[in-house]
């Protein structure tokens, strides 16, 4: 799972520029584009993306935060889950042995 998350982040870093550039476009231009039948389908995604516009940082900082997301939440999740999994597997193995007797 961790390897998949790292690969997904590596791929999405290359697409990050799209969201950053889209937030630089003027609101009036976006609204005119939304009138087009082909772009109406993407309206909810674009509106959600544009909510972050006031908080958007410089491109390099956004990219750094995006890359660090692999080592942030995911790393904490892996660190806290592994001991639990080891403990649960030992408990399961012990209970299986005792039930076979």
């Amino acid at each position: 799972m961790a390897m998949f998350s790292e690969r997904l982040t590596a791929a999405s870093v290359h697409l990050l520029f799209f969201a950053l550039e889209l937030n630089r476009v003027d609101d009036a231009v976006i609204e005119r584009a939304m009138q087009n039948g082909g772009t109406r389908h993407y309206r909810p995604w674009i509106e959600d993306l544009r909510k972050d516009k006031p908080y958007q940082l410089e491109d390099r900082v956004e990219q750094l935060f995006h890359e660090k997301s692999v080592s942030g939440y995911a790393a904490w999740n892996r660190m806290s889950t592994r001991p639990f999994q080891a403990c649960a597997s030992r408990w399961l193995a012990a209970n299986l042995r005792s039930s076979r007797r």
Side-chain angles (χ1 to χ4, degrees):
M1 181 69 172
M3 184 66 124
F4 175 75
S5 178
E6 290 172 14
R7 287 183 180 179
L8 183 62
T9 300
S12 63
V13 162
H14 297 292
L15 299 174
L16 181 63
F17 81 95
F18 184 74
L20 297 175
E21 288 298 318
L22 193 59
N23 272 341
R24 288 191 181 100
V25 176
D26 187 46
D27 290 336
V29 174
I30 293 288
E31 196 54 44
R32 276 196 310 268
M34 290 297 110
Q35 303 307 319
N36 181 348
T39 56
R40 283 190 199 144
H41 175 75
Y42 301 103
R43 184 179 202 93
W45 177 77
I46 291 173
E47 287 176 350
D48 188 50
L49 179 69
R50 298 204 36 104
K51 287 178 186 175
D52 293 335
K53 183 178 178 177
Y55 311 105
Q56 184 172 313
L57 303 171
E58 187 215 332
D59 290 3
R60 292 187 324 210
V61 176
E62 289 284 350
Q63 184 175 358
L64 175 68
F65 282 152
H66 190 74
E67 290 171 351
K68 292 296 180 185
S69 69
V70 170
S71 60
Y73 173 76
W76 174 256
N77 194 18
R78 285 191 306 271
M79 184 184 79
S80 63
T81 304
R82 285 183 182 156
F84 173 76
Q85 289 171 340
C87 181
S89 64
R90 282 192 300 266
W91 179 85
L92 184 60
N95 283 328
L96 285 176
R97 273 188 249 121
S98 64
S99 67
R100 290 181 184 172
R101 292 180 189 169

